[in-house]
Amino acid sequence: MKLKQTELTEEFAKQICTWCYEAPYDLYNLPSWEEMCEEGWVPALSGLIKD
């Protein structure tokens, strides 16, 4: 498998929020992007997300 490192964009962040894991890894499931925005997580991520 060949991996490629790239910058985190808002679009990628939204996609990551849709990833779902089965138990026992389900603790890594994230809330939806909308919930992340409502709960104030997006400003905390703003330093990581590139435009």
Coordinates of all heavy atoms in Angstrom, one line a residue:
M1 N 0.9 -1.2 0.0 CA 0.0 0.0 0.0 C 0.9 1.2 0.0 O 1.8 1.3 0.8 CB -0.9 0.0 1.2 CG -1.7 1.3 1.4 SD -2.8 1.5 2.8 CE -2.6 0.1 3.8
K2 N 0.6 2.2 -0.9 CA 1.3 3.4 -1.0 C 0.5 4.5 -0.3 O -0.6 4.8 -0.7 CB 1.6 3.8 -2.4 CG 2.5 5.0 -2.6 CD 2.9 5.2 -4.0 CE 3.8 6.4 -4.1 NZ 4.3 6.6 -5.5
L3 N 1.1 5.2 0.7 CA 0.4 6.3 1.4 C 0.9 7.6 0.9 O 2.0 7.8 0.5 CB 0.6 6.1 2.9 CG 0.1 4.8 3.5 CD1 0.5 4.8 5.0 CD2 -1.4 4.6 3.4
K4 N 0.0 8.6 1.0 CA 0.3 9.9 0.6 C -0.1 10.9 1.7 O -1.2 10.9 2.1 CB -0.4 10.3 -0.8 CG -0.1 11.7 -1.2 CD -0.9 12.1 -2.5 CE -0.7 13.5 -2.8 NZ -1.6 13.9 -4.0
Q5 N 0.9 11.7 2.1 CA 0.6 12.7 3.1 C 0.0 14.0 2.4 O 0.6 14.4 1.4 CB 1.8 13.1 3.9 CG 1.6 14.1 5.0 CD 2.8 14.3 5.8 OE1 3.8 13.6 5.7 NE2 2.8 15.3 6.7
T6 N -1.0 14.5 2.9 CA -1.6 15.7 2.3 C -2.2 16.6 3.4 O -2.3 16.2 4.6 CB -2.7 15.4 1.3 OG1 -3.2 16.5 0.6 CG2 -3.9 14.7 2.0
E7 N -2.4 17.9 3.1 CA -3.0 18.8 4.1 C -4.4 18.5 4.4 O -5.2 18.0 3.5 CB -2.9 20.2 3.6 CG -1.5 20.7 3.5 CD -1.4 22.2 3.0 OE1 -2.4 22.7 2.6 OE2 -0.3 22.7 3.1
L8 N -4.8 18.7 5.6 CA -6.2 18.5 6.0 C -7.0 19.7 5.6 O -6.8 20.8 6.0 CB -6.3 18.3 7.6 CG -7.7 18.1 8.1 CD1 -8.3 16.8 7.6 CD2 -7.7 18.1 9.6
T9 N -8.0 19.5 4.7 CA -8.9 20.5 4.3 C -10.2 20.3 5.0 O -10.5 19.3 5.6 CB -9.1 20.5 2.8 OG1 -9.8 19.2 2.4 CG2 -7.8 20.6 2.0
E10 N -11.1 21.3 4.9 CA -12.4 21.2 5.5 C -13.2 20.0 4.9 O -13.9 19.3 5.5 CB -13.2 22.5 5.3 CG -14.5 22.5 6.0 CD -15.3 23.8 6.1 OE1 -14.6 24.8 6.2 OE2 -16.5 23.8 6.0
E11 N -13.1 19.9 3.6 CA -13.7 18.8 2.9 C -13.3 17.4 3.4 O -14.1 16.5 3.7 CB -13.5 18.9 1.4 CG -14.3 17.9 0.6 CD -15.8 17.9 0.8 OE1 -16.4 19.1 1.0 OE2 -16.5 16.9 0.8
F12 N -12.0 17.3 3.6 CA -11.4 16.0 4.1 C -11.9 15.8 5.6 O -12.3 14.7 6.0 CB -9.9 16.0 4.1 CG -9.3 15.8 2.8 CD1 -8.0 16.3 2.5 CD2 -9.9 15.1 1.8 CE1 -7.4 16.1 1.3 CE2 -9.4 15.0 0.5 CZ -8.1 15.5 0.3
A13 N -12.0 16.9 6.4 CA -12.5 16.8 7.7 C -13.9 16.3 7.8 O -14.3 15.5 8.6 CB -12.3 18.1 8.4
K14 N -14.7 16.9 6.8 CA -16.1 16.4 6.8 C -16.2 15.0 6.4 O -17.1 14.2 6.9 CB -16.9 17.3 5.7 CG -17.1 18.7 6.1 CD -17.8 19.5 5.0 CE -18.0 20.9 5.4 NZ -18.7 21.7 4.4
Q15 N -15.4 14.5 5.5 CA -15.4 13.1 5.1 C -15.0 12.2 6.3 O -15.6 11.1 6.6 CB -14.4 12.8 4.0 CG -14.9 13.4 2.7 CD -13.9 13.1 1.6 OE1 -13.0 12.3 1.7 NE2 -14.0 13.9 0.5
I16 N -14.0 12.6 7.1 CA -13.5 11.9 8.2 C -14.6 11.7 9.3 O -14.8 10.6 9.9 CB -12.3 12.5 8.9 CG1 -11.1 12.4 7.9 CG2 -12.0 11.9 10.2 CD1 -9.9 13.3 8.3
C17 N -15.5 12.7 9.4 CA -16.6 12.6 10.3 C -17.6 11.5 9.9 O -18.4 11.1 10.8 CB -17.3 14.0 10.4 SG -16.4 15.2 11.3
T18 N -17.6 11.1 8.7 CA -18.5 10.0 8.2 C -18.0 8.6 8.4 O -18.7 7.7 8.3 CB -18.9 10.2 6.7 OG1 -17.7 10.0 5.9 CG2 -19.4 11.6 6.5
W19 N -16.7 8.5 8.8 CA -16.1 7.2 9.0 C -16.8 6.5 10.2 O -16.9 7.1 11.3 CB -14.6 7.3 9.2 CG -13.8 7.8 8.1 CD1 -14.3 8.1 6.8 CD2 -12.4 8.1 8.1 NE1 -13.2 8.6 6.1 CE2 -12.1 8.6 6.8 CE3 -11.4 8.0 9.1 CZ2 -10.8 9.0 6.5 CZ3 -10.1 8.4 8.7 CH2 -9.8 8.9 7.5
C20 N -17.1 5.3 10.1 CA -17.8 4.5 11.2 C -17.0 3.2 11.4 O -16.7 2.5 10.5 CB -19.2 4.2 10.9 SG -20.2 5.7 10.8
Y21 N -16.7 3.0 12.7 CA -16.0 1.8 13.1 C -16.9 0.9 13.9 O -17.7 1.4 14.7 CB -14.7 2.2 13.9 CG -13.8 3.1 13.1 CD1 -13.9 4.5 13.4 CD2 -12.9 2.6 12.2 CE1 -13.0 5.3 12.7 CE2 -12.1 3.5 11.5 CZ -12.1 4.8 11.8 OH -11.3 5.7 11.1
E22 N -16.7 -0.4 13.8 CA -17.4 -1.4 14.6 C -16.7 -1.6 15.9 O -15.5 -1.3 16.0 CB -17.5 -2.7 13.8 CG -18.4 -2.6 12.6 CD -18.6 -3.9 11.8 OE1 -18.3 -4.9 12.4 OE2 -19.0 -3.8 10.7
A23 N -17.4 -2.1 16.9 CA -16.8 -2.4 18.2 C -15.7 -3.4 18.0 O -15.7 -4.2 17.1 CB -17.9 -3.0 19.1
P24 N -14.6 -3.3 18.7 CA -14.4 -2.4 19.8 C -13.8 -1.0 19.5 O -13.4 -0.2 20.3 CB -13.4 -3.2 20.7 CG -12.6 -3.9 19.6 CD -13.5 -4.2 18.5
Y25 N -13.7 -0.7 18.2 CA -13.1 0.5 17.7 C -14.1 1.7 17.6 O -13.7 2.8 17.2 CB -12.3 0.3 16.4 CG -11.3 -0.8 16.5 CD1 -11.6 -2.0 16.0 CD2 -10.2 -0.7 17.2 CE1 -10.7 -3.1 16.1 CE2 -9.3 -1.7 17.4 CZ -9.5 -2.9 16.8 OH -8.7 -4.0 16.9
D26 N -15.3 1.4 17.9 CA -16.4 2.5 17.7 C -16.2 3.7 18.6 O -16.7 4.7 18.4 CB -17.8 1.9 17.9 CG -17.9 1.2 19.3 OD1 -16.9 0.8 19.9 OD2 -19.1 1.0 19.7
L27 N -15.3 3.6 19.6 CA -15.0 4.8 20.4 C -14.3 5.8 19.6 O -14.2 7.0 20.0 CB -14.2 4.4 21.6 CG -12.8 3.8 21.4 CD1 -11.7 4.9 21.8 CD2 -12.6 2.5 22.1
Y28 N -13.8 5.5 18.4 CA -13.2 6.5 17.5 C -14.1 7.1 16.6 O -13.7 8.0 15.8 CB -12.0 5.8 16.7 CG -10.9 5.3 17.6 CD1 -10.7 3.9 17.8 CD2 -10.1 6.1 18.3 CE1 -9.7 3.4 18.6 CE2 -9.1 5.6 19.1 CZ -8.9 4.3 19.3 OH -7.9 3.8 20.1
N29 N -15.4 6.7 16.6 CA -16.4 7.4 15.7 C -16.6 8.8 16.2 O -16.6 9.1 17.4 CB -17.7 6.6 15.8 CG -17.7 5.3 15.2 OD1 -16.8 5.0 14.4 ND2 -18.6 4.4 15.5
L30 N -16.7 9.7 15.2 CA -16.9 11.1 15.5 C -18.3 11.5 15.3 O -19.0 10.9 14.5 CB -16.0 11.9 14.5 CG -14.5 11.8 14.7 CD1 -13.8 12.5 13.6 CD2 -14.0 12.3 16.0
P31 N -18.7 12.6 15.9 CA -20.1 13.2 15.6 C -20.1 13.7 14.2 O -19.0 13.9 13.5 CB -20.2 14.3 16.6 CG -19.0 14.4 17.4 CD -18.0 13.4 16.9
S32 N -21.2 14.0 13.7 CA -21.3 14.5 12.3 C -20.7 15.9 12.3 O -20.4 16.5 13.3 CB -22.8 14.7 11.9 OG -23.4 15.8 12.7
W33 N -20.3 16.4 11.1 CA -19.7 17.7 10.9 C -20.6 18.8 11.5 O -20.1 19.7 12.2 CB -19.4 17.9 9.5 CG -18.7 19.3 9.2 CD1 -19.2 20.4 8.7 CD2 -17.3 19.6 9.6 NE1 -18.3 21.4 8.7 CE2 -17.1 20.9 9.2 CE3 -16.3 18.9 10.1 CZ2 -15.9 21.6 9.4 CZ3 -15.1 19.5 10.3 CH2 -14.9 20.8 9.9
E34 N -21.9 18.7 11.3 CA -22.8 19.7 11.8 C -22.8 19.7 13.4 O -22.8 20.8 14.0 CB -24.2 19.4 11.3 CG -24.4 19.6 9.9 CD -23.9 18.5 9.0 OE1 -23.6 17.3 9.5 OE2 -23.6 18.7 7.8
E35 N -22.7 18.5 14.0 CA -22.6 18.4 15.4 C -21.3 19.0 15.9 O -21.3 19.7 16.9 CB -22.8 17.0 15.9 CG -24.2 16.4 15.8 CD -24.2 15.0 16.3 OE1 -24.4 14.8 17.5 OE2 -24.0 14.1 15.4
M36 N -20.2 18.7 15.2 CA -18.9 19.3 15.6 C -19.0 20.8 15.5 O -18.4 21.5 16.4 CB -17.8 18.8 14.6 CG -17.7 17.3 14.6 SD -16.4 16.6 15.7 CE -14.9 17.3 15.1
C37 N -19.6 21.4 14.5 CA -19.8 22.8 14.4 C -20.6 23.4 15.6 O -20.2 24.4 16.2 CB -20.4 23.2 13.1 SG -19.4 22.9 11.7
E38 N -21.7 22.7 15.9 CA -22.6 23.2 16.9 C -21.9 23.1 18.3 O -22.2 24.0 19.1 CB -23.9 22.4 16.9 CG -24.8 22.6 15.8 CD -26.0 21.6 15.7 OE1 -26.2 20.8 16.7 OE2 -26.7 21.6 14.7
E39 N -21.1 22.1 18.5 CA -20.5 21.9 19.8 C -19.2 22.7 20.0 O -18.5 22.6 21.0 CB -20.2 20.4 20.1 CG -21.5 19.7 20.2 CD -21.3 18.2 20.4 OE1 -20.2 17.7 20.6 OE2 -22.3 17.4 20.2
G40 N -18.8 23.5 18.9 CA -17.6 24.3 19.0 C -16.3 23.7 18.7 O -15.2 24.2 19.0
W41 N -16.3 22.5 18.1 CA -15.0 21.8 17.8 C -14.3 22.4 16.6 O -13.1 22.4 16.5 CB -15.3 20.3 17.5 CG -15.4 19.5 18.8 CD1 -16.6 19.2 19.4 CD2 -14.4 19.0 19.6 NE1 -16.4 18.5 20.5 CE2 -15.0 18.3 20.6 CE3 -13.0 19.0 19.5 CZ2 -14.3 17.6 21.6 CZ3 -12.3 18.3 20.4 CH2 -12.9 17.7 21.5
V42 N -15.1 23.0 15.7 CA -14.5 23.5 14.4 C -13.5 24.6 14.7 O -12.4 24.6 14.1 CB -15.5 23.8 13.4 CG1 -14.9 24.5 12.2 CG2 -16.3 22.6 13.0
P43 N -13.8 25.6 15.5 CA -12.8 26.6 15.8 C -11.5 26.0 16.4 O -10.4 26.4 16.1 CB -13.4 27.5 16.8 CG -14.9 27.4 16.5 CD -15.1 25.9 16.1
A44 N -11.6 24.9 17.2 CA -10.4 24.3 17.8 C -9.6 23.6 16.7 O -8.4 23.5 16.8 CB -10.9 23.3 18.8
L45 N -10.3 23.2 15.6 CA -9.6 22.5 14.5 C -9.0 23.4 13.5 O -8.3 23.1 12.6 CB -10.5 21.5 13.9 CG -11.0 20.3 14.7 CD1 -12.1 19.5 13.9 CD2 -9.9 19.4 15.1
S46 N -9.4 24.7 13.6 CA -9.1 25.7 12.5 C -7.6 25.8 12.3 O -7.2 26.1 11.2 CB -9.7 27.0 12.8 OG -9.2 27.6 14.0
G47 N -6.8 25.6 13.3 CA -5.4 25.7 13.1 C -4.8 24.5 12.3 O -3.7 24.6 11.8
L48 N -5.6 23.4 12.3 CA -5.2 22.2 11.5 C -5.7 22.2 10.1 O -5.1 21.6 9.2 CB -5.6 20.9 12.3 CG -5.2 20.8 13.7 CD1 -5.9 19.5 14.3 CD2 -3.7 20.6 13.7
I49 N -6.8 22.8 9.9 CA -7.5 22.7 8.6 C -7.0 23.8 7.7 O -7.0 25.0 8.1 CB -9.1 22.8 8.8 CG1 -9.6 21.7 9.6 CG2 -9.7 22.9 7.4 CD1 -11.0 21.7 9.9
K50 N -6.6 23.5 6.5 CA -6.1 24.4 5.5 C -7.3 24.8 4.6 O -8.1 24.0 4.2 CB -5.0 23.8 4.7 CG -3.8 23.3 5.5 CD -3.1 24.5 6.2 CE -2.0 24.0 7.1 NZ -1.4 24.9 8.0
D51 N -7.3 26.0 4.1 CA -8.3 26.5 3.2 C -8.1 25.9 1.8 O -7.1 25.7 1.4 CB -8.4 28.0 3.1 CG -8.8 28.6 4.5 OD1 -9.6 27.9 5.2 OD2 -8.4 29.7 4.8

